[in-house]
Amino acid sequence: MNEYLKRVLEETKKKNSNEPEYLQAVEEVLTSLEPVLDRHPEYEKLAILERMVEPERIVTFRVPWVDDSGKIVVNRGYRVQFSSLIGPYKGGLRFDPSVNQSIMKFLGFEQIFKNALTGRPIGGGKGGSDFDPKGKSDNEVMRFCQSFMTELQRHIGADVDVPAGDIGVGGREIGYLFGQYKRIKNSYEGGVLTGKGLSYGGSLARTEATGYGLIYFMREMLKANGNQTLAGKTVTISGSGNVAIYACEKAQQSGAKVVAMSDSSGCIYDKNGIDLAAIKQIKEVERGRIKDYLKTHPDAVYTARTGENSPIWDIKTDIALPCATQNEVSLQSAQKLVENGVIAVGEGANMPCPKEVIEYFLENNVLVAPAKAANAGGVATSAIEMSQNSMRYYMTFEEVDKMLENIMVNIFRECRTSAEKYNQGNNYVAGANIASFVKLTDAMISQGIV
Ligand code: NDP
């Protein structure tokens, strides 16, 4: 292994020994950069890697709020402002009990590279809280969001840091957060948050963007490898949240048959193809469980999740789209997918496949669309939302969708070109890491020691 790379990895492990997800993300990116580091020994003197793995700033704060029974609850809030090399910090907010500093840092780190790939001027950041919105009333969610923003507002701004949604943060939460920001600042700064509602500065196609973008990337990858198409392919999609729902919609529009979706409790298999309207009703309107699908589709089969492995990956499929959360595909699940003849995996979620799982897929000639490229459509469309806010202007759905499609085509092209340039074949995981690293390094060198 490259000596410089080895040293930085060791130092990072020592400094962040209690942050497994963060170390996992750093190792995945850094090890794939070996061919670039071999060609550029001067990077060591410039401490490029050391500066890349140290966040510019981390803010943690207390979030006190009162539940419906009058009880005072205290959660912890985070904002990791990782890198402002190529634009204001940009990245979502996650509300989930699993949130901790390691998860925030892994997501912020990934975001730097993802945002660089979009070709838009946005830096990398991430934030959130260990608050669990499940089972909370609208009023409780509102009070939490108001308390969270009361502190967060000190650290963000349209040219400073622009949060958006992620797990547990959708349109409802963004609305409450925006309302509180505006109230405190006494200023209508539309571009301070993205994923806003259409009536107050949101962009058409932002809701669909991550899922649609994933399918646009998949289309390009299939085309470049044997001129294949999505039409007629069987697809399974984990999760049934924002990313999963719109990946399903675009996959179906592309002629694929989606046969399974899931949530954290289990998965449904519908041999006739998933009825997406029913999923939207359960998840977007009723905020229910995926098992409820059986009430209207008694022919479907529900399998509860019992152990470590998600049952969805035991289902035979051509294309698997993990769109739920990090580390959701185990090596055992990957082996099952390969045994069942999977040809491509598209990461809709962030880091759903650990490094050894990606390596296993690549060794078995399974195409992998890496998260930081394949799910970049969401943040790219957030940047389009920011542009519309600055211009005081609204674009049509078709205009935004076309821009998104072009961005995803370009991202695939960049991953492919970089992989080829550094002799990585069709390893687009390495291609994505290299393409974004080269861009960021260029900006870092230009800006001096900051
Ligand atoms: P949502 O909250 O809308 O949906 C998350 C889905 O994943 C739900 O169906 C949830 O089920 C399921 N899920 C969550 N945790 C687990 C778990 N531990 N095991 C199994 N299933 C789980 O989130 P998003 O769709 O927005 O985000 C999904 C992923 O995509 C995340 O990794 C996020 O970082 C990534 N992403 C999102 C973007 C966006 O624009 N929204 C952009 C780029 C990446 P349940 O309801 O049971 O919890």
Side-chain angles (χ1 to χ4, degrees):
M1 188 189 273
N2 178 291
E3 282 303 316
Y4 173 41
L5 170 62
K6 199 168 142 196
R7 176 173 64 74
V8 175
L9 268 179
E10 276 167 13
E11 285 170 8
T12 311
K13 278 182 194 161
K14 224 183 268 173
K15 266 195 189 171
N16 306 277
S17 57
N18 56 347
E19 296 182 347
E21 293 85 2
Y22 176 56
L23 291 176
Q24 185 185 336
V26 169
E27 188 165 359
E28 189 266 316
V29 172
L30 263 48
T31 50
S32 70
L33 299 175
E34 197 160 8
V36 189
L37 299 171
D38 286 344
R39 275 195 211 177
H40 293 279
E42 73 277 15
Y43 286 177
E44 179 164 13
K45 210 169 156 201
L46 292 164
I48 297 289
L49 295 181
E50 292 90 326
R51 288 196 269 163
M52 210 75 94
V53 299
E54 193 62 34
E56 287 176 22
R57 188 176 301 108
I58 301 179
V59 186
T60 66
F61 49 95
R62 178 173 61 207
V63 190
W65 58 284
V66 182
D67 76 9
D68 285 347
S69 71
K71 187 174 154 242
I72 299 166
V73 187
V74 178
N75 285 101
R76 182 175 294 175
Y78 296 88
R79 189 68 184 165
V80 177
Q81 299 181 327
F82 221 118
S83 167
S84 60
L85 270 176
I86 58 172
Y89 311 107
K90 178 92 196 87
L93 297 172
R94 177 176 291 191
F95 291 169
D96 191 81
S98 66
V99 162
N100 57 34
Q101 185 163 300
S102 171
I103 290 180
M104 293 289 96
K105 279 173 71 180
F106 120 64
L107 289 165
F109 183 71
E110 289 281 301
Q111 199 80 43
I112 312 170
F113 298 91
K114 179 188 312 207
N115 293 2
L117 282 174
T118 66
R120 303 268 146 177
I122 40 179
K126 200 82 188 187
S129 172
D130 56 0
F131 171 75
D132 186 359
K134 278 199 202 88
K136 304 287 190 301
S137 70
D138 284 352
N139 275 331
E140 288 177 319
V141 171
M142 181 182 73
R143 286 196 294 273
F144 173 80
C145 288
Q146 290 177 340
S147 180
F148 184 85
M149 185 51 90
T150 301
E151 174 62 30
L152 187 70
Q153 54 88 20
R154 300 173 209 280
H155 313 288
I156 62 174
D159 291 317
V160 179
D161 183 353
V162 184
D166 190 77
I167 292 178
V169 178
R172 174 182 60 170
E173 291 75 15
I174 293 290
Y176 294 148
L177 291 163
F178 184 72
Q180 183 73 352
Y181 182 85
K182 184 165 63 64
R183 188 178 180 202
I184 295 173
K185 295 281 184 177
N186 190 30
S187 149
Y188 204 103
E189 239 183 281
V192 72
L193 286 169
T194 58
K196 296 184 292 298
L198 295 177
S199 56
Y200 65 94
S203 173
L204 285 161
R206 173 60 187 93
T207 304
E208 293 81 359
T210 309
Y212 277 25
L214 171 64
I215 300 300
Y216 294 147
F217 190 97
M218 181 59 73
R219 269 191 203 163
E220 294 304 302
M221 186 170 79
L222 291 175
K223 204 191 318 172
N225 288 272
N227 212 13
Q228 305 178 76
T229 64
L230 273 154
K233 299 278 190 307
T234 301
V235 176
T236 51
I237 306 178
S238 66
S240 44
N242 174 264
V243 181
I245 285 178
Y246 293 96
C248 179
E249 186 164 286
K250 187 50 75 178
Q252 290 180 337
Q253 286 171 10
S254 308
K257 185 174 179 185
V258 180
V259 294
M261 292 182 81
S262 67
D263 62 18
S264 56
S265 313
C267 76
I268 46 151
Y269 169 74
D270 188 338
K271 64 178 186 322
N272 304 315
I274 292 286
D275 173 0
L276 189 60
I279 297 285
K280 284 186 180 177
Q281 175 66 23
I282 296 166
K283 289 293 176 180
E284 294 184 334
V285 181
E286 296 163 11
R287 296 183 189 271
R289 307 307 297 160
I290 199 123
K291 193 180 177 186
D292 299 342
Y293 187 83
L294 297 188
K295 290 181 193 159
T296 49
H297 297 75
D299 286 353
V301 179
Y302 175 74
T303 311
R305 183 182 184 139
T306 47
E308 282 281 289
N309 299 325
S310 170
I312 197 167
W313 309 126
D314 294 341
I315 297 167
K316 186 173 165 53
T317 190
D318 299 316
I319 296 172
L321 303 177
C323 295
T325 194
Q326 64 272 4
N327 294 328
E328 56 166 310
V329 184
S330 67
L331 191 55
Q332 215 179 344
S333 296
Q335 285 161 347
K336 193 76 191 174
L337 281 165
V338 169
E339 205 180 291
N340 281 332
V342 73
I343 59 163
V345 174
E347 295 186 313
N350 283 311
M351 205 167 73
C353 302
K355 189 164 174 280
E356 67 273 15
V357 167
I358 288 183
E359 283 164 2
Y360 178 79
F361 283 137
L362 295 175
E363 279 159 19
N364 284 278
N365 297 319
V366 176
L367 296 167
V368 178
K372 53 176 88 57
N375 73 23
V379 74
T381 307
S382 277
I384 299 173
E385 180 176 334
M386 289 160 73
S387 305
Q388 293 173 80
N389 296 148
S390 298
M391 291 190 288
R392 308 276 194 268
Y393 175 76
Y394 285 111
M395 289 161 64
T396 64
F397 186 96
E398 288 69 28
E399 282 173 312
V400 180
D401 189 31
K402 193 69 217 161
M403 283 176 88
L404 167 66
E405 192 172 357
N406 288 338
I407 289 171
M408 297 314 295
V409 169
N410 277 333
I411 293 179
F412 177 72
R413 199 175 294 147
E414 282 202 43
C415 294
R416 184 186 191 181
T417 311
S418 295
E420 282 168 3
K421 186 170 170 195
Y422 286 91
N423 306 318
Q424 302 295 306
N426 60 2
N427 180 349
Y428 306 119
V429 183
N433 290 341
I434 293 171
S436 46
F437 176 74
V438 166
K439 227 181 255 184
L440 291 158
T441 301
D442 188 52
M444 194 176 263
I445 294 171
S446 307
Q447 292 176 24
I449 315 298
V450 290

